[in-house]
Amino acid sequence: MLGCCGCCSALRPRYKRLVDNIFPANPEDGLVKSNMEKLTFYSLRSPEKLDRIGEYLYQRASKDIYRKRYKFVEIAMEAMDLLLMACHAQILNLFVESFLRMVQKLLEDTNPTLQIMATNSFVRFANIEEDTPSYHRRYDFFISKFSSMCYGNNDDMELRDSIRMAGIKGLQGVIRKTVSDDLVANIWEKQHMEKIVPSLLFNMQSGPSKSTDTEATPSTPPLLAEAVLRELVSRASFGHIKSVLKPLLTHLDHHKLWVPNKFAIDTFRIVMISIQPQYSYTVVETLMSHLDQNLTSSPKTRTSLAVVLSKIIAIAAGESVGPSALDIINNLLMHLKTSVSTQHDESTPEETQYQEALINALGEFANHHPDYQKIEIMLFIMNTVPDPSHKSKGDHLLQNILLKSLLKVGTQYRTVSFEKAFPVSFLQPLLKMARAASIPIRIIVMQIFQQLLDRHQNQHLLNVINVSHYPTLTIETPSRSDILFTHKYGSNILQAIIESMSQENHLEVLKSSYNTIALVIVEMACGETMQEFLLFILGVQQVAVTEVELSPKHRCNLHSIAISLLILLGRCTGVGPLVEYVEKLIQARKEEASYLLPPLMDNDKSAPSTLNTNLPHLLVDKLAVAECLQQAGLECNRVQTGTPYALNQTDISAHRHSWVDTHSAVRNSVVDASYNDIESVSSSPGVQKRSLASEYNFESMKRVLAEPTEASKREAREKQMQIGRTFRETAFEDLVRRTEPKHDVIQNKLNEIFNALSAERQISASCGVHAGSLLLAANGGLNGPSMIEPGKHHLAAGGQRPIYENNFPELFFY
């Protein structure tokens, strides 16, 4: 019997004998190392036997698993690992099929030890780089099994963590093995990502997301899951990143992880940091698209989504340029508009928080763009604000929200040049909003101006209206471009502010308006622009004196603002005589009418019994101010001859001075033209200033009077519009009927010519010359201005207007 067994053993293939020899008699002794070296040497010398060796090891391991001899199974798996590591890349495919079958067999068993061992073997296999492509391998089973291991819930905490760690490592191995090989099954398919991503997120949310130790290798399931998610996102291309984001968003939705949103914020930060920079804006677009799908969700959920967006949008801003940046801004604005449109009554606190989160997201996004793009963003937002003439409640809410968004972007902008910060396409609608009837809107507009005007951080110093000195005020001489900007648009800004202050006695409006004009003075005041500001201050005083609809407290507040701005202007420009004059005026008001000085008086508070604002000796005198300028060696002609600012002047494209009196308009147009010439020449070195009196001559007055009046221009425009309407609205047959002559001139002329030709044939040859002259005359009548009615040759030659000039009535003259 023994001999027979020995004979049978000798007849067995050598590779089987070598495999059998690596198993010891006692499984506790472990793998026989010397015999394992023989098997390895044999497999390297005869690589064609590798597939048979692997198959035989798999058969033995399967029998041992069935008999629950797990020690022998571990020995077989160890031998598999050693052979795998010894194989060269060229012959690896011959062995991999058997190896993967062995790993799958161990993973299918319920023994946790075998599962962990099989996973570790698979991870080692995944780290091997193969040169030969594999056409037929599929990892569906491994993805499903490793994902299920990530949800291990064993009662033993240590064993549970070990199983979860093995599952996460197995998913990492699958990712590494598949993303680099285009010929294997696509790991980015929906059915795979819906298993991998939630498994990682489940482990991440079960513990701290940031490592507190110094180990290079993550030692807990949450940390390892985070590392694998980073690797997965970093390997995703542009077409695959959404395959990761969709199951991520679905997991957050199903497990209600948006409220509170700490885990969502941490997860998206991990994604944004790990993703390739050029694809980062895709995450923002996907998140905003998810916000679109949750418009019917609770305000808390939408607010949390918006907060997550605000936390990550700054990371994407650096890579978003051109259309992608404006597309994100437009989406945020659309969400704001949708939020406002859904509010039927007063906005709820939850909805307000949602809107604030969107505004913060917009501000964070704009903050990471260069300044020139911030201007484009602000202009883009300004163009979406409804016109202030819209009186509905929804429009007011939308105006408020969009202007808050504009203010958020403006706080991130650092102004260098006012010409760049206030392009006319942005300034014009902004000034229109500054005249709106809504108080909150006017306050927000003033805050926008303050953010863009304050280049030296003086705003907090000018919040309080007073006549005291500002010792810490930062003042810098304005540049030439700023001076030109003031000459061009300064009057429009000042006009909008004076109209805003004059609408009602609201302290917040008055304070914000004062802060704005004070910043304008600090940033732009100099000898060349001083007269404009003085006319504005005199205009504020004039409104307080002349407007009959203002309350007494409102008048007093305007007087207080005027005197505060005047003393600030004198100190900023260093005009000593003006400062002395204003200080004397302030002292006189303190003694006789302290209510004409700051602080402002609110409508709700009691006031002195007598508020007499018509005290000429306590008001700012225009001639006295002009004299102060003259003493300081500055120009004072505009202050002396010009008219202070007034109300009801709203057109930014028109000049500030729009007089009702015709003669006054003529006079001031000449004065303003002369003043502009002087200002232009003063900015040009080496050019002699022209005398103002040189323009007051007969020729200049004659030119002004020769210009067409406004009435004639208006009449011409109306006539032109009437002709255009006639041609647009009248039927074609009516036009033909109105334009055709009353009698057939051409037919009559042709009849005359034909009669002459027939008569010519009857004339003898001796009269040929005469007939030729008649024909020549007839042809001339057809082609030249001699085409007249029969019998009227002498009249036409005598000076009567030819009939062809009457064919076209006045309707055709444009």
Side-chain angles (χ1 to χ4, degrees):
M1 189 71 180
L2 292 173
C4 180
C5 291
C7 179
C8 291
S9 175
L11 295 176
R12 299 183 67 192
R14 186 181 179 187
Y15 73 90
K16 289 189 177 181
R17 284 182 280 131
L18 292 174
V19 170
D20 292 337
N21 291 337
I22 66 175
F23 294 93
N26 183 10
E28 299 295 333
D29 294 339
L31 182 69
V32 180
K33 301 292 184 182
S34 58
N35 291 337
M36 186 64 215
E37 292 177 358
K38 294 178 183 179
L39 178 61
T40 304
F41 181 73
Y42 174 79
S43 63
L44 293 176
R45 287 190 61 188
S46 304
E48 69 277 2
K49 301 292 185 181
L50 265 175
D51 56 339
R52 299 182 183 181
I53 294 172
E55 180 65 23
Y56 185 60
L57 279 171
Y58 169 74
Q59 293 175 0
R60 286 206 54 157
S62 300
K63 293 178 182 178
D64 291 334
I65 290 174
Y66 180 76
R67 296 168 182 170
K68 299 191 181 304
R69 297 190 298 183
Y70 294 122
K71 287 295 181 181
F72 284 114
V73 176
E74 293 178 8
I75 292 173
M77 194 71 249
E78 184 180 357
M80 278 278 197
D81 289 342
L82 292 174
L83 287 175
L84 184 70
M85 301 305 294
C87 288
H88 300 293
Q90 292 82 1
I91 59 176
L92 194 60
N93 270 336
L94 300 175
F95 186 67
V96 167
E97 284 300 320
S98 301
F99 172 80
L100 292 178
R101 289 179 63 195
M102 173 78 86
V103 172
Q104 180 174 344
K105 190 69 177 180
L106 268 62
L107 288 173
E108 289 173 346
D109 195 80
T110 58
N111 190 338
T113 305
L114 293 184
Q115 293 179 2
I116 295 173
M117 182 176 60
T119 303
N120 293 333
S121 298
F122 182 84
V123 170
R124 285 190 288 269
F125 160 70
N127 291 329
I128 298 176
E129 295 184 2
E130 299 183 63
D131 295 336
T132 306
S134 54
Y135 299 94
H136 55 281
R137 285 188 211 157
R138 299 193 62 85
Y139 297 93
D140 298 12
F141 167 79
F142 297 101
I143 294 174
S144 300
K145 183 60 181 180
F146 292 143
S147 298
S148 65
M149 291 172 65
C150 293
Y151 296 96
N153 57 355
N154 198 291
D155 295 335
D156 186 354
M157 297 292 292
E158 185 176 353
L159 181 59
R160 187 197 70 180
D161 288 348
S162 298
I163 294 175
R164 290 186 179 184
M165 289 280 288
I168 297 171
K169 288 180 180 178
L171 291 178
Q172 186 180 32
V174 173
I175 293 170
R176 290 179 177 177
K177 200 65 182 174
T178 54
V179 295
S180 58
D181 193 348
D182 296 333
L183 298 175
V184 299
N186 189 2
I187 192 67
W188 305 107
E189 291 179 359
K190 179 181 178 181
Q191 64 269 22
H192 299 325
M193 285 293 110
E194 287 181 349
K195 297 175 183 177
I196 295 174
V197 175
S199 303
L200 300 176
L201 295 176
F202 174 79
N203 284 273
M204 289 172 60
Q205 71 188 71
S206 64
S209 60
K210 294 186 178 179
S211 177
T212 56
D213 53 18
T214 57
E215 296 181 8
T217 303
S219 57
T220 62
L223 298 178
L224 181 60
E226 178 183 334
V228 176
L229 181 63
R230 290 178 183 272
E231 182 175 351
L232 177 65
V233 173
S234 65
R235 292 173 178 266
S237 63
F238 177 76
H240 297 147
I241 187 60
K242 290 187 178 180
S243 302
V244 181
L245 295 176
K246 288 181 179 179
L248 189 155
L249 293 170
T250 304
H251 180 84
L252 295 176
D253 289 338
H254 289 172
H255 293 271
K256 296 179 172 56
L257 297 174
W258 293 112
V259 182
N261 59 0
K262 183 180 183 304
F263 176 74
I265 293 174
D266 293 338
T267 303
F268 271 97
R269 277 179 173 167
I270 291 170
V271 171
M272 294 299 292
I273 293 173
S274 305
I275 197 173
Q276 300 180 42
Q278 64 269 28
Y279 306 146
S280 57
Y281 71 92
T282 308
V283 182
V284 176
E285 291 180 345
T286 305
L287 191 56
M288 284 195 292
S289 176
H290 192 68
L291 186 58
D292 286 336
Q293 301 170 8
N294 285 269
L295 291 178
T296 57
S297 302
S298 64
K300 288 186 177 180
T301 302
R302 287 184 282 118
T303 301
S304 297
L305 270 164
V307 170
V308 174
L309 187 62
S310 66
K311 298 295 183 182
I312 68 166
I313 200 169
I315 304 175
E319 300 296 329
S320 299
V321 294
S324 62
L326 291 180
D327 195 30
I328 291 175
I329 293 293
N330 187 45
N331 282 334
L332 291 173
L333 294 178
M334 288 300 297
H335 284 298
L336 282 172
K337 292 179 180 179
T338 304
S339 174
V340 173
S341 63
T342 56
Q343 299 177 21
H344 303 290
D345 299 320
E346 294 295 330
S347 58
T348 61
E350 292 82 5
E351 199 69 30
T352 302
Q353 291 178 358
Y354 169 61
Q355 294 168 0
E356 292 293 335
L358 288 175
I359 292 172
N360 290 334
L362 197 152
E364 288 294 329
F365 182 72
N367 187 31
H368 291 74
H369 282 82
D371 284 344
Y372 73 90
Q373 280 193 323
K374 291 176 186 174
I375 289 293
E376 293 295 329
I377 292 173
M378 287 192 287
L379 180 59
F380 186 79
I381 297 174
M382 194 70 231
N383 290 333
T384 62
V385 178
D387 193 87
S389 60
H390 297 173
K391 303 298 183 182
S392 67
K393 189 174 182 180
D395 287 329
H396 283 174
L397 285 173
L398 187 57
Q399 289 167 2
N400 197 313
I401 293 298
L402 293 178
L403 287 175
K404 283 183 179 179
S405 305
L406 183 58
L407 175 61
K408 192 70 177 180
V409 179
T411 56
Q412 316 294 343
Y413 182 76
R414 294 293 172 262
T415 303
V416 177
S417 170
F418 292 122
E419 186 178 4
K420 295 180 180 179
F422 294 102
V424 66
S425 55
F426 173 62
L427 182 61
Q428 183 171 2
L430 191 63
L431 292 179
K432 187 181 293 185
M433 297 303 300
R435 300 178 172 94
S438 173
I439 291 176
I441 289 177
R442 298 211 308 273
I443 293 176
I444 296 174
V445 171
M446 290 302 147
Q447 291 173 349
I448 294 171
F449 271 111
Q450 292 159 18
Q451 292 295 333
L452 298 178
L453 288 169
D454 188 18
R455 293 186 296 191
H456 300 91
Q457 288 70 51
N458 294 319
Q459 181 183 356
H460 65 285
L461 300 173
L462 301 171
N463 277 332
V464 180
I465 303 175
N466 56 52
V467 293
S468 61
H469 187 60
Y470 297 98
T472 59
L473 205 63
T474 304
I475 300 175
E476 183 180 349
T477 304
S479 63
R480 172 53 54 184
S481 64
D482 292 339
I483 294 174
L484 294 177
F485 175 83
T486 307
H487 287 328
K488 196 170 183 180
Y489 300 116
S491 60
N492 305 121
I493 298 174
L494 300 177
Q495 186 67 51
I497 294 175
I498 195 172
E499 292 184 6
S500 176
M501 289 192 299
S502 304
Q503 292 191 29
E504 64 275 305
N505 187 38
H506 192 279
L507 288 190
E508 288 300 320
V509 174
L510 295 177
K511 288 179 180 178
S512 60
S513 300
Y514 170 81
N515 196 336
T516 303
I517 186 57
L519 285 171
V520 173
I521 289 174
V522 171
E523 295 290 342
M524 304 183 187
C526 64
E528 297 182 50
T529 61
M530 192 171 184
Q531 294 187 86
E532 193 73 41
F533 296 125
L534 288 173
L535 289 176
F536 170 79
I537 295 171
L538 292 171
V540 174
Q541 178 179 270
Q542 183 172 333
V543 169
V545 173
T546 59
E547 290 295 323
V548 296
E549 297 180 357
L550 302 183
S551 65
K553 292 181 181 179
H554 196 181
R555 297 176 190 275
C556 294
N557 289 338
L558 291 180
H559 282 298
S560 300
I561 291 175
I563 196 70
S564 301
L565 292 175
L566 187 59
I567 189 66
L568 176 65
L569 178 62
R571 287 168 178 164
C572 289
T573 54
V575 181
L578 181 61
V579 175
E580 294 177 4
Y581 168 72
V582 180
E583 288 178 347
K584 292 178 181 178
L585 195 59
I586 292 172
Q587 186 62 34
R589 289 189 181 186
K590 287 181 180 179
E591 297 174 356
E592 300 183 36
S594 59
Y595 48 82
L596 298 180
L597 293 173
L600 303 183
M601 291 186 293
D602 194 355
N603 288 329
D604 299 332
K605 297 180 181 180
S606 60
S609 57
T610 57
L611 293 178
N612 186 9
T613 59
N614 295 323
L615 300 173
H617 65 286
L618 297 181
L619 302 182
V620 180
D621 186 11
K622 180 168 72 170
L623 296 179
V625 171
E627 186 178 353
C628 292
L629 293 181
Q630 192 173 9
Q631 291 177 6
L634 299 174
E635 292 285 343
C636 61
N637 293 329
R638 289 198 65 198
V639 176
Q640 286 179 338
T641 60
T643 303
Y645 280 71
L647 302 183
N648 301 324
Q649 298 172 8
T650 59
D651 188 8
I652 187 174
S653 62
H655 196 272
R656 182 176 59 84
H657 304 289
S658 57
W659 315 112
V660 178
D661 190 350
T662 306
H663 299 288
S664 181
V666 172
R667 176 177 56 84
N668 282 284
S669 63
V670 177
V671 173
D672 289 341
S674 304
Y675 175 76
N676 291 333
D677 289 340
I678 292 174
E679 292 296 324
S680 176
V681 173
S682 65
S683 63
S684 304
V687 179
Q688 184 69 27
K689 290 186 179 181
R690 293 184 297 173
S691 173
L692 185 64
S694 63
E695 291 295 325
Y696 291 106
N697 52 39
F698 177 76
E699 292 298 330
S700 62
M701 294 296 180
K702 189 166 133 183
R703 283 197 305 270
V704 172
L705 293 176
E707 292 179 357
T709 63
E710 290 296 328
S712 62
K713 291 181 180 178
R714 185 167 56 254
E715 183 180 354
R717 284 195 299 269
E718 291 176 357
K719 190 173 181 180
Q720 179 179 345
M721 292 172 60
Q722 182 180 2
I723 293 175
R725 269 196 310 271
T726 302
F727 273 98
R728 282 195 302 269
E729 300 172 0
T730 307
F732 179 73
E733 292 77 6
D734 294 339
L735 288 176
V736 172
R737 194 179 305 112
R738 293 178 61 178
T739 56
E740 65 183 3
K742 301 303 180 182
H743 47 275
D744 199 344
V745 180
I746 298 178
Q747 186 61 42
N748 294 336
K749 192 64 182 175
L750 288 175
N751 291 336
E752 180 184 352
I753 295 172
F754 291 149
N755 291 333
L757 290 175
S758 60
E760 181 184 2
R761 296 190 185 96
Q762 299 174 4
I763 299 175
S764 60
S766 59
C767 300
V769 176
H770 179 63
S773 61
L774 279 176
L775 182 59
L776 181 59
N779 290 332
L782 280 175
N783 298 323
S786 62
M787 188 180 67
I788 58 176
E789 292 185 51
K792 294 187 179 180
H793 297 81
H794 300 286
L795 291 177
Q800 181 180 353
R801 187 169 64 176
I803 193 64
Y804 73 91
E805 295 184 8
N806 293 326
N807 287 349
F808 301 98
E810 188 183 2
L811 183 64
F812 281 98
F813 293 114
Y814 188 77

